[in-house]
Amino acid sequence: KGAWITSNDPATPAIVPGSPAETAGLKENDIIVEIDGMAIDESHPLQDLLVQFAPTKTVVLKVFRGNVTIDISVTLGIRPSQ
């Protein structure tokens, strides 16, 4: 369960500098397990849950970091084109 923050490419950071994720304090190897109380799992991946929220909306992420679970508030931005 959850969305692991990691990069498949050592040249690409797991957290984009200047992004809402960085501003909120998310870190590489964090595991996001909930967004606004909705569990992230195979049936409910993070990207499918995120599209339910408008940019500028602040959501609370439940994040597993190391051996603890913490809540992190994130103000969503607009996803850049890929």
Side-chain angles (χ1 to χ4, degrees):
K1 282 173 57 170
W4 181 31
I5 300 175
T6 188
S7 175
N8 292 329
D9 178 0
T12 303
I15 302 289
V16 176
S19 69
E22 181 187 52
T23 300
L26 288 167
K27 299 181 183 298
E28 185 165 8
N29 293 314
D30 282 351
I31 301 171
I32 304 169
V33 294
E34 288 183 7
I35 179 170
D36 267 5
M38 295 181 286
I40 297 167
D41 56 28
E42 287 182 18
S43 299
H44 306 93
L46 179 62
Q47 62 272 18
D48 290 357
L49 295 176
L50 279 175
V51 298
Q52 298 177 34
F53 301 99
T56 73
K57 166 96 169 121
T58 299
V59 296
V60 176
L61 304 178
K62 187 168 293 292
V63 176
F64 185 67
R65 179 180 290 163
N67 293 324
V68 297
T69 303
I70 58 175
D71 290 337
I72 296 179
S73 293
V74 178
T75 302
L76 302 174
I78 298 171
R79 185 176 184 171
S81 299
Q82 300 205 8

